[in-house]
Amino acid sequence: MSNTEMTANVPWLGVIADDFTGASDVAGTLVGAGMRVVQTFGIPDPSVQLHDVDCIVVSLKTRSVPAAEAVVESLAAARALKSRGVQQLYFKYCSTFDSTPEGNIGPVADALRNEFVPAGQITVVAPATPALRRTVYNGVLFAGPSLLQESSMRNHPLTPMTDSRVPRLLQAQTKNYVGHVSYSVIESGAPAVQSQFQTLSGQGREYAVVDTLSDRHLATLGAAVIDHPLITGGSGLVGGLAAARGFQVQPEPAGATRPAGPAAVVAGSCSEMTNVQIDTFRQSRPCFLVDPVAIAEGHDVVGEALLFARENLANGPVLIHSTASPEEVSRAQKQLGQARAAEITEDSLSAIAEGLVALGCRQLIVAGGETSGAIVRRLGITTAHVGREVSPGVPWLKTETNPGLSILLKSGNLGKPGLFLDAWEHNR
């Protein structure tokens, strides 16, 4: 089936993403695969018309909320997508399987299976995203050359990942049985994968964690699950699904008019890569640090940050960040408590972003999943058309609810060191 045969106004794929930057990640992958994509922030209102799209990506903030809440929101998103004629659902989580033994990947996947998957059919679990150097071999998840548990994810403040074996991680979160599809089966092609699904189903397995080392494996897997009503995974597999349905990577589109007005970066992520990106930026551009402890002590840090921006925006991009070293983060959490420190940081950065837009900012990079969610909601953004990726997993979004505003939502560890300096040239 070629993409020209698709029904113009009925999206065939609906993605439910458990955080906002992860939603942008998968949306950018789909655009790169030749699809027309709209990203919504929260469940789209039934009255909102979304024309000529192949995929709707629904951005939720369910990764770290109580499992019951994540289930309710995810099911509501799935039902909304199905009401728009979506044929296939994709539950998207991070390629590092960010979760705890309580969830939320397992509980959400279970709820979606119960409602949308016929008895006896396997549901794929495919976190691997080779473009981001996240791979699975023998059921073990690697972040680059390192085991997941040996990467920076081991020290994540909300979802510390101390185990690398995906079947074991998922089995702790579900009462359904988890199986595994090995590298040798994937290498043998889509029919072999489908046969293994049948074998696992006969053994009473409901989930299948799939070894994936390359984009070729993603293409094989996409062909194997083309008719599955529910798929779960990172952003990698959607490219395989698009290829299986006949979509082709399109050449770079003709450049649109670049948004006028100042540009800024707001960073709340404390990941290693975001720290590197900030260090690279500050070598040539002005930066302002937001300290949650100072805010708790009564300092008007938001006002100071916006004064800094007003004085510097006319001369090029500026960066405002709460990003700090692990030691500094630990200090703030000890003084304020983890929840209070996070709340102060999100509230402050979202207020600063709102102030930046009021100052005329029309190009905004936001780093960090929680920060992205807080800022998007503060700005009232509900839908956006997804552009081409600046780098894997990082596309520009042309917002519809804030005409003229382009926003880039970056997950903490994504992008190259110079992203905050280079991304503006891609926003066309």
Side-chain angles (χ1 to χ4, degrees):
M1 182 185 298
S2 69
N3 53 344
T4 58
E5 294 174 298
M6 299 294 172
T7 303
N9 294 321
V10 179
W12 63 269
L13 181 65
V15 178
I16 303 157
D18 66 358
D19 84 338
F20 285 18
T21 55
S24 292
D25 177 3
V26 73
T29 300
L30 287 163
V31 169
M35 293 175 60
R36 301 164 299 175
V37 183
V38 167
Q39 181 174 342
T40 71
F41 298 92
I43 299 168
D45 189 295
S47 65
V48 175
Q49 298 297 311
L50 302 175
H51 295 294
D52 297 321
V53 298
D54 303 305
C55 177
I56 301 172
V57 177
V58 177
S59 319
L60 301 179
K61 280 191 67 176
T62 53
R63 181 172 297 174
S64 303
V65 302
E69 183 180 335
V71 166
V72 168
E73 288 193 41
S74 300
L75 280 174
R79 291 165 186 156
L81 289 167
K82 295 295 284 187
S83 73
R84 289 178 178 266
V86 162
Q87 305 164 35
Q88 195 167 48
L89 294 172
Y90 194 103
F91 171 37
K92 194 275 176 187
Y93 39 78
C94 188
S95 57
T96 48
F97 212 73
D98 298 17
S99 55
T100 68
E102 293 73 36
N104 288 341
I105 294 174
V108 170
D110 284 348
L112 294 173
R113 269 187 57 83
N114 290 341
E115 186 157 333
F116 300 104
V117 179
Q121 186 173 65
I122 284 286
T123 297
V124 164
V125 179
T129 306
L132 301 178
R133 303 180 71 215
R134 313 281 169 71
T135 55
V136 175
Y137 180 67
N138 286 338
V140 175
L141 182 54
F142 290 82
S146 303
L147 293 169
L148 176 65
Q149 69 198 56
E150 296 173 354
S151 72
S152 61
M153 285 302 301
R154 183 178 184 86
N155 299 313
H156 193 283
L158 298 177
T159 53
M161 304 305 295
T162 57
D163 190 0
S164 304
R165 192 165 293 278
V166 181
R168 190 162 57 207
L169 288 168
L170 180 58
Q171 193 64 76
Q173 303 176 34
T174 177
K175 293 180 180 179
N176 291 316
Y177 292 108
V178 181
H180 172 235
V181 178
S182 69
Y183 169 83
S184 62
V185 174
I186 291 290
E187 280 285 293
S188 298
V193 174
Q194 291 171 330
S195 177
Q196 183 66 10
F197 288 161
Q198 293 176 353
T199 298
L200 290 172
S201 180
Q203 296 171 350
R205 302 291 194 268
E206 284 84 10
Y207 293 107
V209 175
V210 185
D211 282 0
T212 317
L213 296 178
S214 67
D215 288 343
R216 179 169 56 83
H217 290 162
L218 294 174
T220 296
L221 187 54
V225 300
I226 190 170
D227 294 324
H228 284 212
L230 172 68
I231 298 163
T232 83
S235 63
L237 180 51
V238 292
L241 285 174
R245 286 184 174 259
F247 288 88
Q248 297 179 352
V249 176
Q250 301 298 309
E252 285 286 344
T257 302
R258 183 170 178 171
V265 183
V266 178
S269 166
C270 292
S271 72
E272 290 181 5
M273 180 50 72
T274 300
N275 272 294
V276 171
Q277 289 160 343
I278 289 171
D279 286 341
T280 302
F281 186 94
R282 67 159 48 98
Q283 292 176 23
S284 58
R285 301 295 310 152
C287 297
F288 183 95
L289 174 64
V290 173
D291 182 357
V293 174
I295 295 170
E297 292 173 347
H299 295 278
D300 182 16
V301 175
V302 172
E304 294 170 6
L306 291 175
L307 177 61
F308 158 83
R310 186 178 294 109
E311 293 173 345
N312 290 281
L313 274 172
N315 299 318
V318 300
L319 189 150
I320 299 172
H321 67 101
S322 65
T323 302
S325 68
E327 295 76 19
E328 291 168 323
V329 171
S330 178
R331 174 185 64 84
Q333 290 177 343
K334 285 180 179 178
Q335 287 187 245
L336 303 175
Q338 180 174 318
R340 178 62 176 151
E343 179 185 7
I344 289 173
T345 299
E346 286 186 28
D347 287 349
S348 302
L349 291 179
S350 59
I352 288 167
E354 184 178 43
L356 287 169
V357 172
L359 288 172
C361 180
R362 290 296 176 265
Q363 300 175 91
L364 184 65
I365 296 176
V366 184
E370 299 300 316
T371 305
S372 294
I375 287 175
V376 164
R377 290 179 176 176
R378 184 70 171 250
L379 295 178
I381 299 170
T382 58
T383 58
H385 282 275
V386 183
R388 307 263 317 178
E389 292 175 305
V390 173
S391 65
V394 188
W396 277 102
L397 309 176
K398 306 287 185 180
T399 67
E400 292 188 341
T401 38
N402 295 69
L405 174 65
S406 291
I407 189 166
L408 185 154
L409 308 178
K410 187 198 85 76
S411 182
N413 280 310
L414 297 190
K416 296 180 180 180
L419 177 70
F420 295 161
L421 293 170
D422 302 336
W424 320 105
E425 297 305 315
H426 296 263
N427 186 15
R428 298 186 182 278

